Amino acid sequence: MTRDAHEARSRTGRRSGDSGSKVAILAAARLQFAEYGYDGTTIRGIAAAAGVDPALVHHFYGTKERLFAAATELPIVPSEAINAALASREPGRSLGTHLAYSALALWERADMRGAFQAMLRSALTSEQAAATLRDFIAEAILGPVASAAAGADAGNAAYRASLVATQMLGLAVGRYVLRFGPVAQASKEELAVAIGPAIDRYLTGDLGQAGRGH
Amino acid sequence: MTRDAHEARSRTGRRSGDSGSKVAILAAARLQFAEYGYDGTTIRGIAAAAGVDPALVHHFYGTKERLFAAATELPIVPSEAINAALASREPGRSLGTHLAYSALALWERADMRGAFQAMLRSALTSEQAAATLRDFIAEAILGPVASAAAGADAGNAAYRASLVATQMLGLAVGRYVLRFGPVAQASKEELAVAIGPAIDRYLTGDLGQAGRGH
C-alpha cells in the first residue's frame, strides 16, 4: 500500500493528523535550534517537545540537517547540494572554480535568494543565530568541503575548509549584502574563474610556512 | 597666538562654544549620513544643518572621511591607515600578505574591535547602512587598494579591489562574527601567509579569461 493510500484510509483523518504533527515538530524544532543551537539539538529532544515519537520525526524529515533546512525554510539540503556539486565537475575545470560557480548558481536560484540572505542577516545580528549557523555550516558544508581537501593534507582539512568559507562568505556579503559595484555586476562565470584558483589553493595548495600545525 | 590661547581668551567661553559646535556638527553629520548616504552627504550640507560655517567643519574635521570616522566613532581614518600600511611593507613580503596582516592587526586593536564589528553588523542589517558603508569603503579603502593594483591592469583596478574586499570581508565575518574554529584560532601571521597570495593574485595576477572588460 502506498503511503498516500495509507494516510487517506485513516478513519480519524490521518492526513490532518500528519499535518498537525508536522507543524508541531517544526515549531518544536525552531524553538530547540534557537535555544540549544545546531549541535545541542537532537531529533529525540524535538520529538519529546512536540509530543510525538522520534520515529515519526525521522519518517517526516530523515535527518537533523533536513529538519533544520525545513525549520529555516531553506529550499535545499546543503550537504546534498555540495555533494551533488562535487560530483558534477566537468573535466578541465578546477574544483575551486566549479565550487565557486555552483555556489553562485545556488544562491541565485529564485527560491534560494531570500532564504540565504535572511539566514546571513540573522546570523550577523544575533550571537545565538551565528553560533547555530556556524555549527550547521561546519557540519553540512565544511564537512564535505574538507573531505574534498583531505587528499592533499589531511591534518589541515578543517583549516582549509574554513579558509574556503571565508572567501565564499565574503563573496556572498560583497555581492548580495553590501553590493560592491564590480562584484555585484560581474557574471557568475567571471567571478568563478577569478575566485576559483584561490579556492583551489585553500583546498590543496601551499598555505605558507606559518600554516602548518592545524 | 596659539589656538588654545585664542580659545581661552574668548570672553564668552569660546571653548564651550567650540564644544557645542562640534556636538552640533557630529549630530548633523550622523543624520545626514544616515539619510543621504556617504556619497550624497556634503560638508556644506552638514554645516547648514548644524547652523555653522562650512569653514568651521573643515577646521574641526578636515575631510568628509574624517568627519564620517568621527560620526561613527571609528578610531582610525581608513584611507590613512591603508596608505600607511602600503608604505610600511618589509622587503621580501608580498603586498597581499602585508595587507592581510595589517588589516588583522588593525581590526584587533583594542580600540577598533568594537567599532569595526558594530559597523559590520549595522551594514548587514540595514539596507541604508549597507549602502553608506559600501560607498565609504569604495572611496576610503578600495580607492587606495585599486591604486596599488593599477600598475598591473589599470582598466580592471576597481574589479580587482572589490575582489580583495570580498576576501578581507569574509575573513572578518568568519573570524569575528561567525567564528569558524580554525580561522578564529589561527594567528594573524598564519592567516596572512595563507590569504596573502590570494590577495596578490586579485591585485595583479591573471583573473582568467572571463575576467576581462571591467
Side-chain angles (χ1 to χ4, degrees), chain A residues 10 57 74 83 95 107 148 169 179 193:
Chain A
S10 172
V57 180
L74 202 59
N83 283 321
L95 181 57
W107 294 335
L169 200 56
R179 297 187 195 129
V193 299

Side-chain angles (χ1 to χ4, degrees), chain A residues 120-121 123-127 129-131 133-134 137-138 142 158-159 162-163 165-167 169-171 173-175 177-183 185-187 189-191 193-198 201-202 206-214, chain B residues 120-121 123-127 129-131 133-134 137-138 142 158-159 162-163 165-167 169-171 173-175 177-183 185-187 189-191 193-198 201-202 206-214:
Chain A
L120 205 53
R121 282 174 199 273
L124 293 162
T125 47
S126 145
E127 291 268 340
L133 185 66
R134 176 188 59 227
I137 289 176
L142 301 191
Y159 183 51
S162 65
L163 287 171
T166 67
Q167 175 58 86
L169 200 56
L171 176 61
V173 174
R175 184 168 168 91
V177 182
L178 293 184
R179 297 187 195 129
F180 291 124
V183 156
Q185 286 148 27
S187 71
E189 183 63 23
E190 277 174 308
L191 290 170
V193 299
I195 280 172
R201 201 176 132 274
Y202 294 151
D206 178 11
L207 297 182
Q209 222 175 348
R212 312 259 177 258
H214 283 272
Chain B
L120 206 53
R121 281 173 199 273
L124 293 162
T125 47
S126 145
E127 290 268 340
L133 185 66
R134 175 187 59 226
I137 289 176
L142 302 190
Y159 182 51
S162 65
L163 288 170
T166 66
Q167 176 58 87
L169 200 56
L171 177 61
V173 173
R175 184 168 168 91
V177 182
L178 292 184
R179 296 187 196 131
F180 291 123
V183 155
Q185 285 148 27
S187 71
E189 182 63 22
E190 278 175 309
L191 290 170
V193 299
I195 280 173
R201 200 176 133 273
Y202 294 150
D206 178 10
L207 297 182
Q209 223 175 348
R212 313 262 177 255
H214 283 273

Side-chain angles (χ1 to χ4, degrees), chain A residues 33-129:
Chain A
F33 284 126
E35 188 163 357
Y36 305 117
Y38 187 74
D39 284 355
T41 296
T42 61
I43 294 265
R44 179 168 299 273
I46 289 168
V52 303
D53 193 273
L56 190 67
V57 180
H58 280 292
H59 169 71
F60 285 141
Y61 295 102
T63 63
K64 184 164 79 168
E65 184 190 358
R66 287 178 155 274
L67 178 51
F68 183 81
T72 55
E73 297 180 8
L74 202 59
I76 56 146
V77 181
S79 68
E80 294 171 15
I82 291 201
N83 283 321
L86 288 170
S88 69
R89 176 155 61 113
E90 291 165 32
R93 193 152 168 100
S94 84
L95 181 57
T97 303
H98 178 66
L99 279 179
Y101 187 88
S102 303
L104 287 160
L106 195 65
W107 294 335
E108 292 172 25
R109 253 175 51 176
D111 60 342
M112 268 294 290
R113 219 166 153 149
F116 176 69
Q117 291 182 41
M119 183 172 279
L120 205 53
R121 282 174 199 273
S122 99
L124 293 162
T125 47
S126 145
E127 291 268 340
Q128 178 59 59

